[in-house]
Amino acid sequence: MDMIGGTGSFRLKMHSATGLGDSAAYWEGRVALEGDVARLRGGDLDALSTLLTRYQNRLYRYLLRLVREPAEAEDLFQQTWLRVAEKIRQFDPQRNFEAWLFTLARNLAIDHLRRIRPESLDQPAGDPTGETAAARLPSHERPPIEGILARERAGRLGTALETLPLTQREVLTLRFEEEMKLEEIAEVLDAPLSTVKTRLRRALERLRMTLETQYPGESWQ
Amino acid sequence: MNGHEKIRELLTLLAAGVLEPREEKQVLDHLRTCEACSAELEDWKLLAGGLRRLPTPQPRAVVVERARAQAQIRLSEEFEHRWNRSVIVGLIVFAWVLTLLSWPLVRLLTGGLLGLLVPGFSHAWIVFGAFTTSVWLAGGAAAVLLSMQHRRERRLA
């Protein structure tokens, strides 16, 4: 998995917890997160800073997948953290902080899209330049040729992903990029598990169909 | 829909890693005997792997720092408001207790212990009541004006 920053290492540990050491790291991560959230609820500014650092890349990526415009995603990123500061006292510590954070971001993004581009909520859209936000991003720590090829494939996959409707884009990014469990996705989307499964299946089928139509014979490995 | 078609529908979810253990076992049992489905699953796994390896976009550092600064200011404001609210509520409770206690105290000092046992409104009671009410009204009006000014300042900031 291609991860960047401190957030990545935490997620990587969380989801590859196979051995005793990994499991310990996972629980350490969880305890640290709960501690930070508790301190934030008490008004600790350093805890806010720690959480922002931990989630900055993931939250921004999620918002970018939803709105597709970097400038809008950046604006929503700032609004989300303002909302966190305003609402943290209302957050129930028994709930999953991550799901709560992504729900706040999602609500802001959907309100924004409803106001600015209401048609984008249900219509698939493509980038007129053919270049996606993902395609403009650097690939990390790969040899040059392999890196170029991988970036090109990722760019095509990113382009195809952006053509999906919002409901399908978000379920794919939550599952494969954020690596959320089905239950967590259902909490963020405020939808039943069966609906999430159906959306996930349809999104994958549609993505594959788009790729096979646009780039026949391409490998996504 | 036959069994084979049903299993084919589950292949996407298996690649996504969201099948129930019971369903997963059912699919894996089928895959042992069905080459077409095994090949199909490999395709879905490639797609899922590609999605997992999409590059992670990063927000610009200036945006992160601005978000951090703004959120910290807002958090401080929220807690300052909460503290102010608590102090105001405490002061109001204290003032009411003081007011209510002061009435029988004044009565006690001016009319002796037996005066407490004689209810009814005298001239002193009416003056005292009017004075208390006017002080509370003035205090309330001042609090409302201060709150409005504070909100205006927050909007401008």
Side-chain angles (χ1 to χ4, degrees), chain A residues 44-74:
Chain A
D44 187 333
L45 299 182
D46 290 338
L48 176 69
S49 185
T50 307
L51 287 168
L52 193 145
T53 304
R54 174 176 277 171
Y55 287 107
Q56 65 183 48
N57 293 332
R58 294 180 53 207
L59 190 66
Y60 175 71
R61 172 173 63 188
Y62 176 59
L63 287 166
L64 188 59
R65 298 286 181 237
L66 293 187
V67 297
R68 297 185 283 218
E69 289 295 332
E72 291 175 18
E74 286 178 350

Side-chain angles (χ1 to χ4, degrees), chain A residues 2 4 41 43 45 49 52-53 56 60-61 74 78 85-86 154 157 175 197 201 204 208 211 220-221, chain B residues 9 12 16-18 23 43-44 46-47 50 54 56 58-60 63-64 66 68 70-72 74 79:
Chain A
D2 200 351
I4 303 164
R41 278 171 52 77
L45 299 182
S49 185
L52 193 145
T53 304
Q56 65 183 48
Y60 175 71
R61 172 173 63 188
E74 286 178 350
Q78 293 179 60
E86 286 167 7
L157 188 55
R175 178 62 198 138
K197 272 188 178 180
R201 184 171 55 78
L204 278 169
R208 185 175 170 180
L211 288 167
W220 309 107
Q221 180 60 18
Chain B
E9 279 211 337
T12 46
V18 295
E23 290 174 317
D43 287 344
W44 287 120
L46 287 179
L47 184 59
L54 277 176
T56 301
Q58 294 178 72
R60 289 179 296 147
V63 173
V64 174
R66 201 183 304 141
R68 194 189 311 273
Q70 287 177 350
Q72 287 184 334
R74 183 64 58 86
F79 276 80

Side-chain angles (χ1 to χ4, degrees), chain A residues 161 164 168-177 203-204:
Chain A
L161 183 62
L164 300 184
Q168 296 185 350
R169 277 200 316 274
E170 66 178 349
V171 78
L172 287 181
T173 191
L174 288 173
R175 178 62 198 138
F176 294 104
E177 294 188 300
L204 278 169

